[in-house]
Amino acid sequence: MTDSNYSPTVAYLGPEASFTHVAATQLFGNTGLVSQPTIPDCIEAVTAGHVAYAIVPLENALEGSVPMTIDYLFHGSELFINAEISTPIEQHLLVNEKQREALDNLDSVQSHPHALAQCHKYLQYHYRRTPLIQTTSTAAAAKYISENPDLRVAAIGNRLAAEKYGLHIAEENIHDFHFNHTRFVVLSLRKGYLEEESHSENSKTTFMVKLPEDDRSGMLHQILSVFAWRKLNLSKIESRPLKTGLGNYFFIIDVLENEDHPMMMGAIEELASLNCSVRSFGSYCTYEQKPSR
Ligand SMILES: O=C(O)C(=O)Cc1ccccc1
């Protein structure tokens, strides 16, 4: 989707064949992608300037926000969101070819916490007594079982991981709900669209809003009316712990408008006049990934 003559370096939550990797190739192609073992590693790589961008999962339709991304992005990062890509997620049960017959006798099932949670009913029904082990990504679990053929361990991951690591798909589509999509965000130190020529009709802006210290009753209502009377459509509002004490929250607010729109500028000013602290993560476009993997 980016200019074919220019390939930026992009840190992604790897290894190869993770869902994040699939999303990264959709946006950036195959060149310049740098696998990182964890979400904090992706965020640190782009913050330190080792890569131009990082791409990480932000939110899943079944499980909600990815806490690791929220923690590192909203608590003290200097990063902006340049794009988001929403992808359909299909989870499969994978085993090493050597363990095809061990399915009734597994010692553990391993995957990313969100993948385990997305398949919870399946696991509860079929593997109630089997330990579930969390890994840094679905692909890390797939790679692990391919490198340890003698372990009676299954992984949960995508079809590409099965192909890449030579694994047998023991059961397809084990996610509990059909509509399983994940939002991945592209982050960098630069505020602005991934593609400069992006048009603003399809824009979204993400804000982090903190309430004033002297939190008054009806404050959230006041914040929402700032957007409501300007007919600014919110696609998300989520409260997250500020980590400063029980009951202290900030809000993540996504607005379906470009930050430069006069109504948005007015909204930000009005929030400031209510003594809210507002940090903008910038305006960006949403890309949709075709279902395939
Ligand atoms: O683990 C992966 O492959 C990821 O990219 C993170 C993730 C996990 C589960 C659903 C979507 C993304």
Side-chain angles (χ1 to χ4, degrees):
M1 284 181 187
T2 49
D3 180 352
S4 55
N5 298 321
Y6 167 67
S7 81
T9 47
V10 184
Y12 68 91
L13 172 64
E16 279 181 62
S18 67
F19 286 101
T20 314
H21 185 219
V22 175
T25 51
Q26 181 86 22
L27 279 179
F28 295 99
N30 280 315
T31 36
L33 302 186
V34 185
S35 169
Q36 297 291 327
T38 67
I39 290 170
D41 288 326
C42 294
I43 288 180
E44 276 169 30
V46 69
T47 304
H50 298 148
V51 289
Y53 296 104
I55 179 166
V56 287
L58 177 67
E59 183 183 8
N60 175 263
L62 307 190
E63 284 310 302
S65 288
V66 178
M68 195 70 93
T69 302
I70 301 284
D71 274 357
Y72 280 81
L73 181 58
F74 289 91
H75 290 275
S77 97
E78 311 152 42
L79 299 176
F80 297 99
I81 305 176
N82 307 112
E84 73 172 358
I85 179 162
S86 164
T87 82
I89 302 289
E90 290 178 353
Q91 302 286 13
H92 311 307
L93 188 71
L94 314 176
V95 284
N96 195 294
E97 289 289 350
K98 270 183 92 173
Q99 300 297 340
R100 282 174 88 122
E101 308 306 319
L103 280 170
D104 291 335
N105 223 349
L106 292 175
D107 288 332
S108 68
V109 178
Q110 307 201 356
S111 202
H112 185 276
H114 264 213
L116 294 171
Q118 287 159 19
C119 306
H120 206 271
K121 285 187 178 162
Y122 172 86
L123 293 168
Q124 176 73 5
Y125 191 73
H126 295 275
Y127 292 103
R128 175 185 295 261
R129 314 227 174 274
T130 310
L132 306 179
I133 295 181
Q134 300 190 349
T135 55
T136 49
S137 72
T138 57
K143 188 164 186 277
Y144 178 77
I145 63 168
S146 81
E147 289 167 354
N148 294 278
D150 295 326
L151 298 184
R152 281 182 309 188
V153 175
I156 294 175
N158 60 34
R159 188 173 299 281
L160 185 67
E163 287 165 15
K164 165 92 194 148
Y165 300 109
L167 301 171
H168 168 63
I169 300 184
E171 184 114 31
E172 287 188 336
N173 294 322
I174 61 167
H175 44 286
D176 297 327
F177 294 91
H178 178 63
F179 189 86
N180 188 12
H181 278 62
T182 293
R183 274 174 82 194
F184 298 85
V185 281
V186 174
L187 307 171
S188 81
L189 289 165
R190 172 187 68 84
K191 193 175 196 179
Y193 291 90
L194 180 61
E195 298 173 293
E196 296 297 348
E197 69 280 9
S198 297
H199 26 270
S200 50
E201 293 104 68
N202 163 26
S203 282
K204 188 186 269 189
T205 307
T206 294
F207 295 110
M208 172 182 188
V209 177
K210 289 187 208 161
L211 306 186
E213 297 278 316
D214 63 329
D215 189 6
R216 302 176 293 274
S217 59
M219 198 59 213
L220 179 59
H221 181 100
Q222 276 186 287
I223 291 176
L224 291 177
S225 10
V226 165
F227 296 102
W229 75 259
R230 292 181 171 85
K231 298 204 177 346
L232 293 168
N233 202 3
L234 306 192
S235 59
K236 162 175 173 158
I237 177 163
E238 178 176 2
S239 61
R240 300 288 308 181
L242 263 174
K243 300 186 189 273
T244 55
L246 261 185
N248 297 347
Y249 295 99
F250 69 93
F251 295 93
I252 300 170
I253 299 180
D254 289 351
V255 190
L256 296 176
E257 187 51 87
N258 189 331
E259 196 177 353
D260 295 341
H261 190 284
M263 283 298 188
M264 286 286 267
M265 288 154 70
I268 296 167
E269 271 172 32
E270 194 180 331
L271 288 174
S273 73
L274 291 171
N275 284 334
C276 291
S277 120
V278 183
R279 147 88 152 103
S280 166
F281 287 81
S283 301
Y284 52 92
C285 282
T286 301
Y287 299 84
E288 303 284 340
Q289 187 182 289
K290 301 162 273 280
S292 63
R293 294 293 178 182

